[in-house]
Amino acid sequence: MSARRRILAVLGGAAAALCLVTGLIAVQASAAAGCRVAYAVASQWNGGFGASITVTNLGDPLSSWQLRWSFTAGQTVTQGWNATFSQSGSTVTAVNVDYNGSLATNASTTIGFNGSWSGSNPVPSAFTLNGVTCTGSVTGSPSTSPSTSPSPTPSITPTSTPGPPPTGLVGWATQGGGTTGGGNASATTVTSSSALTSAASGTNPAVVRVSGTISCSGMIRVGSNKTIVGNSGAVISGCGLNVSEASNVIIRNLTFRNWNDDAINVQYSTRVWIDHNTLSNGYDGAIDVKRASDYVTVSWNHVHSHDKTMLLGHSDDNGGEDRGRLRVTYHHNYFDGTNQRHPRVRFGNPVHVYNNYYRNVGGYGVASTEGAGVLVECNYFENTGDPYHLGEGDSGPGSLVARNNHMTGSGAGQTGGSVASIPYPYTCDTPSQVKSIVTSGAGAGRISV
């Protein structure tokens, strides 16, 4: 079943405080209280689904919170993140964790879960936050003035333009609750490395638009719930973006040049979408995913004039963290005269490589190593002597299944073993048409943002 996104916005007043956890703060009748909830089914499959919930506190600041709702069709929560989930019958309670318990006035936090369903999967009809029905309005008078953000530096220009919706998201980043980045947060435009560093930090939802050329060195860290998107012609030169210990991140429409570490590094992070970027002439990896990261989609990127392209899993010795994770989808990427790692895979299973165009690849295309399981399908290999193989360097072999690939002036490749099934819906383009599809659509500047 194709992914569905549903948004629920609920209006209302105060209700009696219902606390399941000792120490939660009851809402006083004289205090300002109110909340808004957006519930999204990010992906759904036979018997299961992933959902994300954004909670906005409209009342007085909270130091801790619990969100409660009821399912009406027998759904159950099976796994959650960014909150502690419990369920009694149809009633689900989500309690904050240590890093997101404080919610200032008008502040939001996003949580998510995987669940099971049978027959139907309707959206819950009502939510309460610390016992107050979320209605989108406020009761009582604020006891404190709403907090305001510090004035931005001159190089940060707030705008009201929303970031791009995650249209076209396919693959592993649709799983685990889906990937929405900064969502509909008002965008902030940055023109310097210091402004980008500031805007990309923290965990509050944010849409950060890069304008012009930002020159920098090293790595700029990107926090959770962020969309980093380039305006037309946006360039990051000399440095890269480090998505570390984060979740729900989107990076789109940027040109990376001459980075002195990695262009985009993802580590200890989940639900990341890297889409429609152009990358060239860097030092190390163009897009590397490692250290227990999971639920990542790398799509419609153009890499040229570069050696080490996309590494998945950094070390043969890191299986304790990486096994059962490192699930990544690579689709519609343009590997243009690059040399190796398209991708090189350790441990992840299944890793999905489909509808990519490989042109004049010098070393090898795809390598499956260290017990990984890689499905290579519907790609277009042109003048690529070694399109895919098992093992690489000192790394032992994994499994690789290849099917429906188009070969022009390329080798036969090496396959072996089996790969776990792909859990999400996708469509393979006709392999012989992938070259024209990818060259006309991949890279920065090919989408409207």
Side-chain angles (χ1 to χ4, degrees):
M1 183 182 293
S2 62
R4 299 180 290 145
R5 177 178 174 91
R6 308 188 210 156
I7 302 292
L8 175 66
V10 208
L11 292 182
L18 298 174
C19 295
L20 292 183
V21 179
T22 302
L24 289 173
I25 299 177
V27 180
Q28 298 178 1
S30 60
C35 47
R36 181 173 58 245
V37 170
Y39 180 101
V41 177
S43 57
Q44 183 167 291
W45 57 96
N46 187 25
F49 70 104
S52 64
I53 305 173
T54 298
V55 184
T56 302
N57 173 38
L58 303 177
D60 285 342
L62 301 176
S63 60
S64 60
W65 53 264
Q66 68 170 16
L67 183 73
R68 178 180 285 174
W69 72 92
S70 292
F71 285 126
T72 59
Q75 305 102 311
T76 58
V77 173
T78 58
Q79 177 189 23
W81 49 92
N82 294 340
T84 300
F85 289 82
S86 61
Q87 184 166 354
S88 177
S90 62
T91 302
V92 180
T93 302
V95 178
N96 68 271
V97 289
D98 55 359
Y99 55 80
N100 64 3
S102 296
L103 280 181
T105 303
N106 294 323
S108 299
T109 189
T110 299
I111 63 177
F113 66 90
N114 287 334
S116 63
W117 67 283
S118 178
S120 64
N121 186 21
V123 171
S125 59
F127 295 82
T128 63
L129 183 68
N130 287 5
V132 173
T133 302
C134 293
T135 64
S137 61
V138 181
T139 63
S141 300
S143 58
T144 58
S145 300
S147 59
T148 57
S149 301
S151 299
T153 60
S155 55
I156 302 179
T157 306
T159 73
S160 59
T161 306
T167 305
L169 176 57
V170 179
W172 275 113
T174 66
Q175 305 298 287
T179 304
T180 57
N184 293 321
S186 295
T188 295
T189 299
V190 300
T191 59
S192 70
S193 60
S194 59
L196 176 57
T197 299
S198 175
S201 65
T203 61
N204 287 335
V207 175
V208 183
R209 301 185 71 93
V210 177
S211 183
T213 297
I214 290 180
S215 298
C216 45
S217 62
M219 302 290 287
I220 294 175
R221 187 165 180 173
V222 179
S224 297
N225 307 312
K226 299 294 185 292
T227 296
I228 313 296
V229 59
N231 288 338
S232 178
V235 176
I236 295 180
S237 178
C239 75
L241 299 181
N242 185 25
V243 184
S244 181
E245 298 181 298
S247 63
N248 193 29
V249 172
I250 296 173
I251 299 172
R252 303 184 83 192
N253 206 49
L254 289 163
T255 294
F256 294 83
R257 297 174 184 159
N258 305 317
W259 57 90
N260 59 4
D261 193 339
D262 294 332
I264 301 174
N265 176 63
V266 180
Q267 61 181 18
Y268 296 120
S269 296
T270 61
R271 298 183 294 133
V272 179
W273 184 24
I274 301 168
D275 177 71
H276 277 97
N277 301 287
T278 297
L279 310 99
S280 65
N281 293 294
Y283 169 70
D284 201 357
I287 301 174
D288 286 359
V289 181
K290 57 194 180 186
R291 297 186 184 277
S293 293
D294 208 4
Y295 301 137
V296 178
T297 293
V298 180
S299 59
W300 295 101
N301 300 285
H302 181 194
V303 190
H304 65 93
S305 306
H306 187 65
D307 178 16
K308 300 173 182 177
T309 306
M310 298 182 185
L311 179 67
L312 180 54
H314 72 292
S315 170
D316 294 351
D317 298 327
N318 209 52
E321 287 187 330
D322 290 344
R323 288 189 183 91
R325 300 177 177 86
L326 296 184
R327 290 170 290 189
V328 180
T329 302
Y330 301 87
H331 74 87
H332 293 94
N333 298 289
Y334 181 9
F335 301 113
D336 184 4
T338 47
N339 192 47
Q340 59 178 312
R341 303 181 181 178
H342 311 88
R344 172 176 171 161
V345 182
R346 293 177 172 97
F347 304 114
N349 185 13
V351 173
H352 196 191
V353 181
Y354 80 94
N355 282 161
N356 302 283
Y357 173 40
Y358 296 78
R359 173 188 170 274
N360 297 338
V361 169
Y364 65 88
V366 182
S368 178
T369 77
E370 297 300 318
V374 185
L375 175 60
V376 180
E377 63 173 339
C378 304
N379 300 283
Y380 192 116
F381 292 93
E382 182 176 14
N383 299 329
T384 299
D386 182 1
Y388 40 81
H389 62 237
L390 306 178
E392 173 61 28
D394 293 332
S395 301
S399 295
L400 190 148
V401 172
R403 63 192 186 202
N404 301 326
N405 294 291
H406 180 88
M407 301 290 191
T408 299
S410 299
Q414 180 186 19
T415 62
S418 61
V419 178
S421 61
I422 303 298
Y424 49 79
Y426 67 98
T427 300
C428 257
D429 295 323
T430 302
S432 61
Q433 298 176 0
V434 166
K435 175 180 178 178
S436 61
I437 291 170
V438 171
T439 54
S440 64
R446 300 301 183 91
I447 54 174
S448 175
V449 297

